[in-house]
Amino acid sequence: MRPAPAPPKQQLGWRALRRGATLLAALALLSAPAFAQPIPYHADPDAREILPNLQPVPAIRFLTSADFPPFNFRDDAGELIGFNIDLARRICIEVNVACTIQAWPWEQAATALADSQGDALIAGLAMTAENGEIFDFSSIYLALPGRFVTRADAIGTFNAQALAGQRVAVRAGGAHEDFLARYLPEAEIVGFGDEIAALEAVRTGNAGAFFGDAMRASFWLNENLGCCGFAGEAYFRPQLFGEGMAIAVPAGNDPVRHAIDWALVRLKQNGTLDELYLRWFPVGFY
């Protein structure tokens, strides 16, 4: 059984992702990041610091994949690294339990979790109704907004409410095209086969703006900073763009899920989530 669709990276050029991830990994090792960009905040403001009962959680066996940079992938030395890898380790430190992280092929990872070969899957598993029948999910630790990208000289004057007659590039047939058609119908929507082609249309001047998944766009911008940048606000539409990144656990494994949720609240409050976000996403997408 394959309860999940392919991770988002398979919808974006793999080579571009790999190059971007390599640079991100290098930047992560240089120094502590500067807090100079908007920081996401997804911790529940009503959450309480109630230490979970750790008696049933002597360890957390995290499963992941090794092909989803910059979240989870292998560096040139073969070491498993990435945002999700660092987050999993910090969760275990915060909860003070033993931690293992094992990489599986993406098409087998969810099945391995369902077969109790791990306690939690941190690999971008989609929070679909189908997956919800098999797994429970932690709190969201990273939402995935939609954003506009324009050429650098147009960022300061960009106005999403003044797109009449302007060509906006988008991946054809996706949720972001639906968003434009529903909320900004005056724009001239130009569909492309994938996000890279749509973003390249902005770089070459064939479109005035791009609209799409901000995380994927940030990878492309990492290699095109002299050309383009994010413009306007971030749009959060979970019903269209997905709930975001969360950690899956086998249905009913409440002790592990509660421990992870508690750790996520603490990691946000002590600044660790912000540090990891800035380390792995130097071109922030919020």
PDB file of all heavy atoms in Angstrom, residues 17 34 37 50 57 72 82 93 117 126 130 137 167 172 187-188 190 241 255 264 272:
ATOM      1  N   LEU A  17      16.853  21.627  -7.227  1.00  0.00           N
ATOM      2  CA  LEU A  17      16.716  21.398  -5.796  1.00  0.00           C
ATOM      3  C   LEU A  17      18.034  20.932  -5.193  1.00  0.00           C
ATOM      4  O   LEU A  17      18.438  21.388  -4.126  1.00  0.00           O
ATOM      5  CB  LEU A  17      15.644  20.341  -5.545  1.00  0.00           C
ATOM      6  CG  LEU A  17      14.229  20.839  -5.279  1.00  0.00           C
ATOM      7  CD1 LEU A  17      13.296  19.653  -5.146  1.00  0.00           C
ATOM      8  CD2 LEU A  17      14.180  21.690  -4.039  1.00  0.00           C
ATOM      9  N   ALA A  34      21.284  35.340  11.080  1.00  0.00           N
ATOM     10  CA  ALA A  34      20.778  36.627  11.543  1.00  0.00           C
ATOM     11  C   ALA A  34      19.279  36.668  11.350  1.00  0.00           C
ATOM     12  O   ALA A  34      18.764  36.256  10.333  1.00  0.00           O
ATOM     13  CB  ALA A  34      21.444  37.765  10.748  1.00  0.00           C
ATOM     14  N   GLN A  37      14.631  38.269   8.507  1.00  0.00           N
ATOM     15  CA  GLN A  37      13.509  38.014   7.627  1.00  0.00           C
ATOM     16  C   GLN A  37      12.313  37.596   8.471  1.00  0.00           C
ATOM     17  O   GLN A  37      12.462  37.215   9.637  1.00  0.00           O
ATOM     18  CB  GLN A  37      13.862  36.912   6.624  1.00  0.00           C
ATOM     19  CG  GLN A  37      14.365  35.629   7.281  1.00  0.00           C
ATOM     20  CD  GLN A  37      14.439  34.460   6.321  1.00  0.00           C
ATOM     21  OE1 GLN A  37      13.421  33.952   5.904  1.00  0.00           O
ATOM     22  NE2 GLN A  37      15.641  34.045   5.970  1.00  0.00           N
ATOM     23  N   ILE A  50       2.780  21.478  29.394  1.00  0.00           N
ATOM     24  CA  ILE A  50       2.505  20.350  30.273  1.00  0.00           C
ATOM     25  C   ILE A  50       3.402  19.204  29.834  1.00  0.00           C
ATOM     26  O   ILE A  50       3.246  18.680  28.731  1.00  0.00           O
ATOM     27  CB  ILE A  50       1.027  19.943  30.209  1.00  0.00           C
ATOM     28  CG1 ILE A  50       0.131  21.132  30.603  1.00  0.00           C
ATOM     29  CG2 ILE A  50       0.762  18.744  31.123  1.00  0.00           C
ATOM     30  CD1 ILE A  50      -1.346  20.840  30.474  1.00  0.00           C
ATOM     31  N   VAL A  57       7.356   6.339  26.558  1.00  0.00           N
ATOM     32  CA  VAL A  57       8.177   6.820  25.437  1.00  0.00           C
ATOM     33  C   VAL A  57       9.652   6.784  25.843  1.00  0.00           C
ATOM     34  O   VAL A  57      10.272   7.814  26.094  1.00  0.00           O
ATOM     35  CB  VAL A  57       7.768   8.253  25.021  1.00  0.00           C
ATOM     36  CG1 VAL A  57       8.494   8.659  23.738  1.00  0.00           C
ATOM     37  CG2 VAL A  57       6.275   8.365  24.845  1.00  0.00           C
ATOM     38  N   ASN A  72      15.336  16.609   4.155  1.00  0.00           N
ATOM     39  CA  ASN A  72      16.031  15.380   4.503  1.00  0.00           C
ATOM     40  C   ASN A  72      16.727  14.835   3.262  1.00  0.00           C
ATOM     41  O   ASN A  72      16.080  14.516   2.268  1.00  0.00           O
ATOM     42  CB  ASN A  72      15.082  14.330   5.100  1.00  0.00           C
ATOM     43  CG  ASN A  72      13.636  14.472   4.656  1.00  0.00           C
ATOM     44  OD1 ASN A  72      12.870  15.228   5.260  1.00  0.00           O
ATOM     45  ND2 ASN A  72      13.242  13.744   3.615  1.00  0.00           N
ATOM     46  N   GLY A  82      19.640  17.904   7.057  1.00  0.00           N
ATOM     47  CA  GLY A  82      18.501  18.680   6.604  1.00  0.00           C
ATOM     48  C   GLY A  82      17.685  19.254   7.746  1.00  0.00           C
ATOM     49  O   GLY A  82      17.909  18.962   8.926  1.00  0.00           O
ATOM     50  N   ILE A  93      16.050  15.727  22.109  1.00  0.00           N
ATOM     51  CA  ILE A  93      16.788  16.407  23.176  1.00  0.00           C
ATOM     52  C   ILE A  93      15.829  17.117  24.119  1.00  0.00           C
ATOM     53  O   ILE A  93      15.968  17.049  25.347  1.00  0.00           O
ATOM     54  CB  ILE A  93      17.805  17.394  22.580  1.00  0.00           C
ATOM     55  CG1 ILE A  93      18.932  16.640  21.867  1.00  0.00           C
ATOM     56  CG2 ILE A  93      18.385  18.303  23.661  1.00  0.00           C
ATOM     57  CD1 ILE A  93      19.863  17.536  21.074  1.00  0.00           C
ATOM     58  N   GLN A 117       7.617  -0.161  12.155  1.00  0.00           N
ATOM     59  CA  GLN A 117       9.076  -0.189  12.072  1.00  0.00           C
ATOM     60  C   GLN A 117       9.686   1.139  12.496  1.00  0.00           C
ATOM     61  O   GLN A 117      10.897   1.318  12.422  1.00  0.00           O
ATOM     62  CB  GLN A 117       9.506  -0.571  10.653  1.00  0.00           C
ATOM     63  CG  GLN A 117       9.031  -1.958  10.255  1.00  0.00           C
ATOM     64  CD  GLN A 117       9.608  -2.417   8.935  1.00  0.00           C
ATOM     65  OE1 GLN A 117      10.835  -2.476   8.766  1.00  0.00           O
ATOM     66  NE2 GLN A 117       8.754  -2.747   7.984  1.00  0.00           N
ATOM     67  N   ALA A 126       1.784  13.952   3.258  1.00  0.00           N
ATOM     68  CA  ALA A 126       0.629  14.835   3.094  1.00  0.00           C
ATOM     69  C   ALA A 126      -0.460  14.499   4.104  1.00  0.00           C
ATOM     70  O   ALA A 126      -0.749  13.333   4.379  1.00  0.00           O
ATOM     71  CB  ALA A 126       0.078  14.709   1.676  1.00  0.00           C
ATOM     72  N   GLU A 130      -7.078  10.240   3.327  1.00  0.00           N
ATOM     73  CA  GLU A 130      -6.640   8.844   3.225  1.00  0.00           C
ATOM     74  C   GLU A 130      -5.561   8.539   4.250  1.00  0.00           C
ATOM     75  O   GLU A 130      -5.610   7.519   4.956  1.00  0.00           O
ATOM     76  CB  GLU A 130      -6.122   8.562   1.817  1.00  0.00           C
ATOM     77  CG  GLU A 130      -5.622   7.140   1.612  1.00  0.00           C
ATOM     78  CD  GLU A 130      -5.036   6.913   0.236  1.00  0.00           C
ATOM     79  OE1 GLU A 130      -4.937   7.891  -0.536  1.00  0.00           O
ATOM     80  OE2 GLU A 130      -4.663   5.764  -0.070  1.00  0.00           O
ATOM     81  N   PHE A 137      -1.363  13.005  13.189  1.00  0.00           N
ATOM     82  CA  PHE A 137      -0.341  13.985  12.846  1.00  0.00           C
ATOM     83  C   PHE A 137      -0.081  14.923  14.014  1.00  0.00           C
ATOM     84  O   PHE A 137      -0.989  15.263  14.771  1.00  0.00           O
ATOM     85  CB  PHE A 137      -0.747  14.800  11.619  1.00  0.00           C
ATOM     86  CG  PHE A 137      -0.700  14.027  10.335  1.00  0.00           C
ATOM     87  CD1 PHE A 137      -1.799  13.296   9.901  1.00  0.00           C
ATOM     88  CD2 PHE A 137       0.443  14.016   9.551  1.00  0.00           C
ATOM     89  CE1 PHE A 137      -1.762  12.573   8.723  1.00  0.00           C
ATOM     90  CE2 PHE A 137       0.500  13.296   8.376  1.00  0.00           C
ATOM     91  CZ  PHE A 137      -0.609  12.575   7.952  1.00  0.00           C
ATOM     92  N   ARG A 167       0.385  39.562 -17.149  1.00  0.00           N
ATOM     93  CA  ARG A 167       0.609  38.129 -17.303  1.00  0.00           C
ATOM     94  C   ARG A 167       1.202  37.557 -16.006  1.00  0.00           C
ATOM     95  O   ARG A 167       2.264  37.996 -15.557  1.00  0.00           O
ATOM     96  CB  ARG A 167       1.552  37.851 -18.472  1.00  0.00           C
ATOM     97  CG  ARG A 167       0.920  38.140 -19.831  1.00  0.00           C
ATOM     98  CD  ARG A 167       1.972  38.144 -20.946  1.00  0.00           C
ATOM     99  NE  ARG A 167       2.693  36.887 -21.045  1.00  0.00           N
ATOM    100  CZ  ARG A 167       2.285  35.840 -21.759  1.00  0.00           C
ATOM    101  NH1 ARG A 167       1.144  35.904 -22.445  1.00  0.00           N
ATOM    102  NH2 ARG A 167       3.009  34.733 -21.827  1.00  0.00           N
ATOM    103  N   ALA A 172       0.315  25.041 -14.479  1.00  0.00           N
ATOM    104  CA  ALA A 172      -1.031  24.779 -14.988  1.00  0.00           C
ATOM    105  C   ALA A 172      -1.681  23.618 -14.252  1.00  0.00           C
ATOM    106  O   ALA A 172      -1.045  22.610 -13.946  1.00  0.00           O
ATOM    107  CB  ALA A 172      -0.976  24.472 -16.489  1.00  0.00           C
ATOM    108  N   ALA A 187      -6.335  39.074 -13.516  1.00  0.00           N
ATOM    109  CA  ALA A 187      -5.000  38.786 -14.034  1.00  0.00           C
ATOM    110  C   ALA A 187      -5.086  37.884 -15.261  1.00  0.00           C
ATOM    111  O   ALA A 187      -5.994  37.060 -15.388  1.00  0.00           O
ATOM    112  CB  ALA A 187      -4.155  38.119 -12.953  1.00  0.00           C
ATOM    113  N   GLU A 188      -4.111  38.031 -16.161  1.00  0.00           N
ATOM    114  CA  GLU A 188      -4.021  37.136 -17.315  1.00  0.00           C
ATOM    115  C   GLU A 188      -3.179  35.929 -16.900  1.00  0.00           C
ATOM    116  O   GLU A 188      -1.955  35.997 -16.817  1.00  0.00           O
ATOM    117  CB  GLU A 188      -3.375  37.847 -18.496  1.00  0.00           C
ATOM    118  CG  GLU A 188      -3.277  36.970 -19.736  1.00  0.00           C
ATOM    119  CD  GLU A 188      -2.544  37.638 -20.885  1.00  0.00           C
ATOM    120  OE1 GLU A 188      -2.375  38.875 -20.848  1.00  0.00           O
ATOM    121  OE2 GLU A 188      -2.134  36.915 -21.809  1.00  0.00           O
ATOM    122  N   VAL A 190      -1.207  32.622 -17.127  1.00  0.00           N
ATOM    123  CA  VAL A 190      -0.457  31.903 -18.148  1.00  0.00           C
ATOM    124  C   VAL A 190       0.079  30.621 -17.525  1.00  0.00           C
ATOM    125  O   VAL A 190       0.917  30.660 -16.618  1.00  0.00           O
ATOM    126  CB  VAL A 190       0.706  32.752 -18.693  1.00  0.00           C
ATOM    127  CG1 VAL A 190       1.407  32.017 -19.826  1.00  0.00           C
ATOM    128  CG2 VAL A 190       0.205  34.116 -19.155  1.00  0.00           C
ATOM    129  N   PHE A 241      -3.730  24.963  -0.570  1.00  0.00           N
ATOM    130  CA  PHE A 241      -2.295  24.716  -0.654  1.00  0.00           C
ATOM    131  C   PHE A 241      -1.811  23.601   0.271  1.00  0.00           C
ATOM    132  O   PHE A 241      -0.636  23.260   0.249  1.00  0.00           O
ATOM    133  CB  PHE A 241      -1.514  25.998  -0.331  1.00  0.00           C
ATOM    134  CG  PHE A 241      -1.926  27.200  -1.142  1.00  0.00           C
ATOM    135  CD1 PHE A 241      -1.798  28.480  -0.628  1.00  0.00           C
ATOM    136  CD2 PHE A 241      -2.465  27.052  -2.417  1.00  0.00           C
ATOM    137  CE1 PHE A 241      -2.169  29.595  -1.372  1.00  0.00           C
ATOM    138  CE2 PHE A 241      -2.851  28.157  -3.166  1.00  0.00           C
ATOM    139  CZ  PHE A 241      -2.708  29.427  -2.640  1.00  0.00           C
ATOM    140  N   PRO A 255       1.023   8.812  23.141  1.00  0.00           N
ATOM    141  CA  PRO A 255       2.188   9.237  23.927  1.00  0.00           C
ATOM    142  C   PRO A 255       3.278   9.883  23.068  1.00  0.00           C
ATOM    143  O   PRO A 255       3.820  10.929  23.431  1.00  0.00           O
ATOM    144  CB  PRO A 255       2.669   7.938  24.585  1.00  0.00           C
ATOM    145  CG  PRO A 255       1.427   7.124  24.717  1.00  0.00           C
ATOM    146  CD  PRO A 255       0.652   7.417  23.465  1.00  0.00           C
ATOM    147  N   LEU A 264       7.523  20.655  20.186  1.00  0.00           N
ATOM    148  CA  LEU A 264       7.403  21.704  19.176  1.00  0.00           C
ATOM    149  C   LEU A 264       7.068  23.047  19.810  1.00  0.00           C
ATOM    150  O   LEU A 264       7.580  24.097  19.390  1.00  0.00           O
ATOM    151  CB  LEU A 264       6.351  21.323  18.141  1.00  0.00           C
ATOM    152  CG  LEU A 264       6.730  20.189  17.181  1.00  0.00           C
ATOM    153  CD1 LEU A 264       5.542  19.806  16.306  1.00  0.00           C
ATOM    154  CD2 LEU A 264       7.920  20.587  16.312  1.00  0.00           C
ATOM    155  N   THR A 272      14.484  27.743  18.876  1.00  0.00           N
ATOM    156  CA  THR A 272      15.136  26.723  18.070  1.00  0.00           C
ATOM    157  C   THR A 272      14.489  26.569  16.697  1.00  0.00           C
ATOM    158  O   THR A 272      15.198  26.444  15.681  1.00  0.00           O
ATOM    159  CB  THR A 272      15.117  25.369  18.801  1.00  0.00           C
ATOM    160  OG1 THR A 272      15.840  25.493  20.026  1.00  0.00           O
ATOM    161  CG2 THR A 272      15.757  24.277  17.950  1.00  0.00           C
TER     162      THR A 272
END
